[in-house]
Amino acid sequence: MIKKFTLRINKKPQTVEVDENMPLLWVLRDVLDLKGTKYGCGVGSCGACTVHLNGIAVRSCQLPISSLANQNITTIEGLAEKADHPVQKAWLDVDVAQCGYCQSGQIMSAAALLKSNPNPSEEDIDNFMSGNICRCGTYTRIKKAIQQAAAKK
Amino acid sequence: MKKTDNTYSRRSFLKVSSLSGGGFMLGISWLASAKPEETLSALNVEPIWQELTSYIKITPENVIKIFSPNPEFGQNVMTSLPMLIAEELDVDFKSIVVEQASYNPALFNRQFTGGSQSIRSAWKLLRTAGASARQMILTAASQAWNVPVLELTTSKGQVKHAASGKSGSYGSFSTAASKLPVPKDIVLKANKGFRLLGTPQKNVEGTKIVHGKPLFGMDYTEAGMLIAMTERPPAFGMRLKSYDATAAKKMPGIVDVFTIQVYEPTQKLAMFDTRSFNEVIAVVGKTTWDVMNARKKLNVVWENAPDTKEIMNNRETIVPGGLESTTKHYADMLDMDKKPGQIQRKDGEPEKAFESAKHVIERTYTAPFLAHNIMEPTNTFAHFQGNKVRFVAPIQGPDFIANTIATRLGIPKENIEINLARMGGGFGRRAYGHYMVEAALISKQANAPIKLVYSREDDVSGGIYRPTYQLTYRAAFDENKRLTAMHIKGGGIPESPLHANRFPAGALDNYMAESWSIPSNITVGAFRAPRSNFNAAAEQSFLDEIAEYMGKDPIAFRLELLQRAKDNPVGKNNDYDAARYMGVLELVRDKSGWGKPENANKKRGVSAYFCHNSYAAQVIDLRVKDGQVIVDHVTSAVDCGVVVNPEGAKNMAEGAAIDGIGNALFGNLTFTEGRTNQKNFDTYRMIRHNEAPKKIDVHFVANETDPTGLGEPPFPPIFGAMANALYKATGKRLYKQPFGNQIG
Ligand code: FES
Ligand code: FES
């Protein structure tokens, strides 16, 4: 059923009128034109669509819009106004990206990890990040960037 | 100083005035860094770009823009190709604007990403473009100041005349320079004069990537654009019989449902025209979610397809009907191994050597079909209007598909505009542009701009896979355990992986290579280092096993064979350079600490391979704990000639190792009754963070060889290194990929 929903996205209230089952991912991409959050699998298995829901990393492809009224959602576009979040800075410094498609999701996961665990061990990083696939194989650089961001925090 | 033959430059340096001052839809939103962006916005007017060759534009305010001609899918050519130009142009790389060029064969040379050829084919051309533009600016400056060109020097986009103390920016001469002819005799820098090439430069789109900017085809949108998806047969060997779209059309947001024929039944197809299903149902609607839901409401009847004739590459082929299964594939491949194959190479008297052998080792290796699993699923934007079509497309080979689009849509090729989007991975999958034909047909029928989107399930189950392969290696030994002959017999479904003239051909007096193939309706295509990605695994595992039988060190044994191929090669047409091959093996041996004692926590395997003109060798250190493989260290040695951007190159070689380990351990696409058993990442296992190597070191052979390519060569050998290290860790030789489920 088409309904009206108001969400807080990147600190701004946004009202959309969509099918109540539409996942947040498609609301972001197709309705609000926030294209930083990527579609990779739609089944919660790749992490490309990772956003923060009240500060916690979630897969936006798995969240129907009806469950999100008045919740705080942060996307890659809202992570830091000038793309200068420590994680983004570390990502640039380590020159992580290859194709780049998975990287918004990786960055959102990494930022959430460091928020809850400012000094993660290698194993913590592995465990937390294993929901984010990178076909290009940038995992070792991602780990290095996370460690670097943690050290600078 | 090297003089370059400038014969190719005229065509690609053509000046087309209609393109000056913009005209690129993706325009200046693709600026490389903040600095020139600020300069541009401070201008507050439409910048006046003066064109100095088709690759370079400069405004009078000295904003310098370099076009990167080739499609980018993560191999970082958008950084390394402009570096070639910037080196000779003599500008500060950090202050230039890099823009992805649109497809334009009149302006740009070989806009194809594949075969690890981007840098190799651009090496002289793009440097010549940079040097030519610099020369034009010098000539303009010499005319303005009335001084000889020879007295002028350049640095970071400035021209200087030491004697008079005069200096001026490139921009101040750009208008005059743009009116000069492109010079003919251009002298390129000698390698030792490079200031930029060989220094690490960051990805020019890095900032945009970490900011989540809409760089990808999937992200493209414009006013009035609709979303389209296609419903295709659920199995290879099936086709559409009938369908009822009444319910689907009633779904919210749905605009239209209709069928398209991807190609005309009689259309002659070329190499990259492969598509899996010819008649598909298009569902067009407002949002991706609307279309996904409506697809579920389609009532479709599929039927088994008969054998179908197809003309591909001017050859008539029969695509067989029938629903295929993996178990039967493997049984059929084993059967083929018993029958004589097609002999592709024979040196000496291999049959005799096997007859008189005291000992023979024979091993059969197999590998499954693999899906590309590009992270950004297949998609493209298309708008068909009148007799023109405009695309924003993630495509590796725009020129190939432009011909096909022109034929299928019945429009002139010049009426096809292709804006090249950054690709979320390619690996060969996006060399096959059938989705652009589909999108154009859908846009035409829907009479609207559309973005065609494949779901992940469409991508995984939709074909154009790495084929399934088998190779049987036999080695003959005399009573002294000396290797006297080798016989390789290989094939696949539907193509053979055999490269008959590759190592160890050329190193053995008695050698024979045979090939076979089994037709199939499962579609296949290039997949990062096609064929090599399996050959390396089989060959390098086999060499390891026979070295062990002979009591030789694996690296020493390979070097021994290569030395023979170098000093006194057997036969003709050996397509590798034994000295460069040895070079990477020696480098990996020295850098990995090869020969140091192993223990339960450190088991090592080595492998080396040559493909696409470059050489790579790897040593893996791993351990197995509770049935899990833990890769602690990968040492990679690569000879790809001169390295343009060391940081980007390292990233690529690291990625190749991770991607290869993932595919070696887990990659597996299987079929039951024509359907793929894996449809998405919940069933198709990809390597993940916790399974990646803990550490990867990449070393490049330092040399002055012109670049020979990097995207593919470091990928194949890792499969062999994995197999050989796993043998050390488990005591079990592994012959069947993927290896992951045979450990512990
Ligand atoms: S798209 Fe949501 S996890 Fe893959
Ligand atoms: S950078 Fe390409 S998928 Fe991660």
Side-chain angles (χ1 to χ4, degrees), chain B residues 431-473:
Chain B
Y432 303 87
H434 60 89
Y435 48 92
M436 292 175 68
V437 181
E438 293 164 16
L441 291 167
I442 295 169
S443 171
K444 187 180 177 187
Q445 174 78 31
N447 198 16
I450 61 111
K451 184 166 68 186
L452 172 66
V453 173
Y454 281 35
S455 68
R456 174 59 60 193
E457 289 82 0
D458 294 337
D459 246 9
V460 175
S461 61
I464 319 202
Y465 305 119
R466 198 284 300 268
T468 184
Y469 290 130
Q470 177 176 291
L471 275 166
T472 296
Y473 277 79

Side-chain angles (χ1 to χ4, degrees), chain A residues 19 29-30 36 38-41 45 88 92 95-96 98-99 101 106 129-130 135-137 139-141, chain B residues 73 202 210 212 218-219 288-289 372 375 422 455-456 647 651 654-655 658-659 680 687-690 693:
Chain A
D19 173 18
R29 290 186 56 83
D30 285 0
K38 304 299 185 200
Y39 165 68
C41 71
S45 290
Q88 287 168 315
L92 288 174
D95 213 8
V96 171
Q98 283 187 36
C99 83
Y101 193 78
Q106 306 274 7
M129 297 299 295
S130 282
R135 162 79 217 264
C136 298
Y139 296 132
T140 43
R141 280 180 188 246
Chain B
F73 72 61
K202 298 240 155 85
V210 304
M218 205 63 154
D219 302 338
T288 318
W289 182 246
H372 287 82
M375 277 311 286
R422 186 178 184 88
S455 68
R456 174 59 60 193
E647 203 51 35
N651 199 345
E654 291 164 10
I658 295 172
D659 187 16
N680 202 325
I687 189 168
R688 289 175 183 270
H689 274 273
N690 57 330

Side-chain angles (χ1 to χ4, degrees), chain B residues 107-173:
Chain B
L107 290 181
F108 304 109
N109 194 51
R110 196 188 179 275
Q111 290 182 288
F112 173 56
T113 292
S116 303
Q117 298 294 293
S118 295
I119 293 287
R120 186 169 186 244
S121 61
W123 177 242
K124 289 223 169 85
L125 176 74
L126 293 198
R127 287 166 60 212
T128 305
S132 302
R134 178 176 171 272
Q135 195 61 39
M136 289 154 80
I137 289 163
L138 286 178
T139 305
S142 103
Q143 285 168 0
W145 293 339
N146 205 12
V147 297
V149 168
L150 282 176
E151 289 178 13
L152 298 174
T153 57
T154 58
S155 167
K156 297 194 173 174
Q158 301 286 328
V159 188
K160 290 195 179 86
H161 184 243
S164 64
K166 280 187 175 136
S167 75
S169 73
Y170 282 13
S172 63
F173 301 111

Side-chain angles (χ1 to χ4, degrees), chain B residues 260-279:
Chain B
I260 55 163
Q261 299 275 345
V262 184
Y263 300 132
E264 300 278 12
T266 51
Q267 195 171 328
K268 287 187 181 156
L269 304 182
M271 186 156 83
F272 289 104
D273 286 344
T274 307
R275 50 75 187 87
S276 296
F277 303 103
N278 207 56
E279 188 176 30

Side-chain angles (χ1 to χ4, degrees), chain B residues 330 364-368 370 466 533-542 607 620 622 624 627-629 631 659-668 685 715-727 730 732-744:
Chain B
Y330 283 120
T364 297
Y365 301 84
T366 61
L370 294 176
R466 198 284 300 268
N533 58 37
F534 171 61
N535 292 336
E539 171 196 302
Q540 292 292 309
S541 302
F542 190 69
S607 174
I620 286 182
L622 59 70
V624 172
Q628 297 294 311
V629 182
V631 178
D659 187 16
I661 290 172
N663 278 296
L665 286 177
F666 313 122
N668 197 14
R685 188 160 170 199
F715 181 66
I718 199 87
F719 289 76
M722 213 47 210
N724 296 336
L726 284 170
Y727 165 66
T730 63
K732 222 167 45 179
R733 291 269 176 202
L734 300 172
Y735 303 102
K736 192 175 157 84
Q737 291 179 36
F739 305 135
N741 51 11
Q742 301 162 65
I743 295 151

